[in-house]
Amino acid sequence: MTALRLYDLPSLGDRLRNAQDMTRPLMLEIIDKACRRFPSLGQTERTARVMRLIDAEAWADAALALMELELPLWQVRRIAYDEGEWHCALSRERELPDWLDAAVEGCHGDLAIALLSAFVEVQALAAEASRPSVPTVRPAPDPFYEPVGCENFS
């Protein structure tokens, strides 16, 4: 994942929170900025299925298919509707009790946007975790350093 994409994920999350409802351009932007596997898979059956769901404007189904494709280790832990908002929690350990699980949650009035908000959050966490905390710098070789064997094998 490029550095540009790392900066795009938080702005993409903001864009999702501010969206009224899902649109084709917004879904394609999510695929472009938050998906690492989708573009590299070419036109496999799974990517073609996601595109068919987008063409049919089946946004929630497209979001679930995209999550299945991009986040094979994550599962939907909970989808709930409360006071006009959908709450979606994604988890790697769905069988753990809630208080032990580190689920990622997204919420919005539109189900597809709630699902994709959680998806983008997981992608941002994965991108952040893959970056080293300290930059790697290869030390310059010392011109006066010369390895010497000090064992006497005779």
Side-chain angles (χ1 to χ4, degrees):
M1 184 172 284
T2 65
L4 177 62
R5 283 188 165 186
L6 288 176
Y7 297 117
D8 285 346
L9 291 176
S11 67
L12 186 57
D14 291 341
R15 198 157 136 60
L16 281 167
R17 277 186 289 282
N18 294 328
Q20 294 297 316
D21 51 0
M22 182 54 66
T23 62
R24 181 182 176 81
L26 182 56
M27 181 65 93
L28 295 177
E29 182 180 357
I30 291 165
I31 290 172
D32 181 51
K33 292 183 179 175
C35 295
R36 292 177 284 169
R37 294 175 184 219
F38 191 91
S40 65
L41 289 175
Q43 277 298 341
T44 65
E45 178 56 35
R46 294 168 76 186
T47 57
R49 178 175 175 254
V50 171
M51 292 310 294
R52 282 193 308 271
L53 291 168
I54 291 170
D55 291 340
E57 296 183 1
W59 304 125
D61 291 334
L64 290 168
L66 190 61
M67 289 190 302
E68 181 183 337
L69 181 70
E70 288 287 321
L71 304 173
L73 299 177
W74 291 77
Q75 299 173 347
V76 175
R77 179 178 181 89
R78 180 179 55 256
I79 296 177
Y81 186 75
D82 185 34
E83 296 183 11
E85 278 199 335
W86 288 98
H87 298 267
C88 172
L90 301 179
S91 172
R92 290 185 74 170
E93 301 291 334
R94 198 173 75 178
E95 302 305 319
L96 286 177
D98 280 346
W99 60 276
L100 282 177
D101 189 19
V104 175
E105 194 163 326
C107 61
H108 195 275
D110 183 275
L111 176 58
I113 294 176
L115 289 165
L116 290 168
S117 293
F119 168 76
V120 168
E121 186 68 28
V122 169
Q123 291 292 65
L125 289 173
E128 191 64 34
S130 67
R131 284 188 12 208
S133 60
V134 178
T136 325
V137 177
R138 186 170 290 212
D142 187 352
F144 298 111
Y145 174 78
E146 187 175 326
V148 177
C150 59
E151 293 290 327
N152 185 358
F153 294 108
S154 52

